[in-house]
Amino acid sequence: VIHARDAVPLAKAWLRAVPDVHAQYPYLLAEMYGYSMAAANLSLPHAQVHHLMVSNAQAGGEGWDWVDSVPREQICGGAADSTPPLATRFDPSLPFSNDIHPPGPAAPAVVHFCQRYPAGGQKFGKHSVPHNAFSCDGGVFAFDAGKAAAAAIGAGSREAVRNAYVLCNVLPRLQAAQLAYKRARSADDEGLVVVCKLCDRKK
């Protein structure tokens, strides 16, 4: 979270810092070091909040304690194609009310899905995402909620449960986003592929 009045100066300082940082350290995270230097030069201290995000299923210091405390049957319970688990599902079209959205188990607010997450004979990894994932010709991410749920319940390790948690929360949401993209270019499901291809040709 950053205040609007700090965003522009920080972005400009970051832009200036990155080339020099990369020249001395041409590796992964160079742009992050550039950001840190820009913020320090502008005297913009940051408050770190570790427990609201999960990323590396093998790591500590993230919000995994919340995930680890959730009953295993709730990790993927209710998940299906384009539908995340009941415990982390939220319908933004409904007015907020605890009667409509009863509080589920405490959960991280952000899944930073930058690792490889295998569970139930399936996996997600950022390097295996096809370049045409959001195109008319691209397919939809495959997801077997039953296998992921079984993997979470029968997992022999904490890491395996965490992997199932990420799969069941990321893949259905990615599916929903892909389908929304495709439907936005079609009046109905029957004409979906044809209309999408015509739309792509116009671009």
Side-chain angles (χ1 to χ4, degrees):
V1 178
I2 184 172
H3 196 282
R5 67 169 175 258
D6 295 325
V8 172
L10 180 55
K12 290 181 177 179
W14 187 12
L15 182 63
R16 289 193 301 269
V18 167
D20 290 338
V21 174
H22 189 267
Q24 298 181 55
Y25 185 81
Y27 306 106
L28 184 68
L29 306 185
E31 80 287 355
M32 297 185 189
Y33 292 137
Y35 175 91
S36 298
M37 292 177 185
N41 286 337
L42 293 174
S43 299
L44 291 175
H46 285 44
Q48 291 187 334
V49 181
H50 295 282
H51 64 285
L52 293 181
M53 184 276 297
V54 292
S55 175
N56 184 350
Q58 300 176 338
E62 298 181 358
W64 290 116
D65 285 348
W66 284 356
V67 176
D68 297 340
S69 66
V70 174
R72 290 190 174 191
E73 64 273 11
Q74 292 186 29
I75 291 290
C76 293
D81 284 344
S82 304
T83 306
L86 189 60
T88 56
R89 196 181 307 165
F90 186 84
D91 187 349
S93 67
L94 297 174
F96 182 81
S97 165
N98 282 336
D99 294 329
I100 299 173
H101 297 292
V110 176
V111 175
H112 179 215
F113 45 99
C114 69
Q115 310 290 331
R116 181 178 177 272
Y117 307 97
Q122 52 198 326
K123 67 178 177 67
F124 175 84
K126 67 176 184 179
H127 294 297
S128 60
V129 174
H131 290 210
N132 65 344
F134 284 92
S135 72
C136 293
D137 295 327
V140 177
F141 286 102
F143 174 62
D144 189 321
K147 289 183 178 179
I153 294 172
S157 70
R158 184 177 63 182
E159 180 183 344
V161 176
R162 293 174 174 183
N163 284 331
Y165 176 86
V166 174
L167 278 186
C168 289
N169 278 282
V170 169
L171 286 180
R173 288 178 167 92
L174 286 176
Q175 283 183 333
Q178 287 177 301
L179 292 173
Y181 173 90
K182 294 174 184 294
R183 290 187 181 118
R185 285 151 179 77
S186 174
D188 56 70
D189 288 340
E190 293 181 7
L192 178 64
V193 176
V194 174
V195 174
C196 271
K197 287 184 177 178
L198 290 174
C199 181
D200 275 354
R201 286 193 188 116
K202 290 179 182 179
K203 293 179 181 178

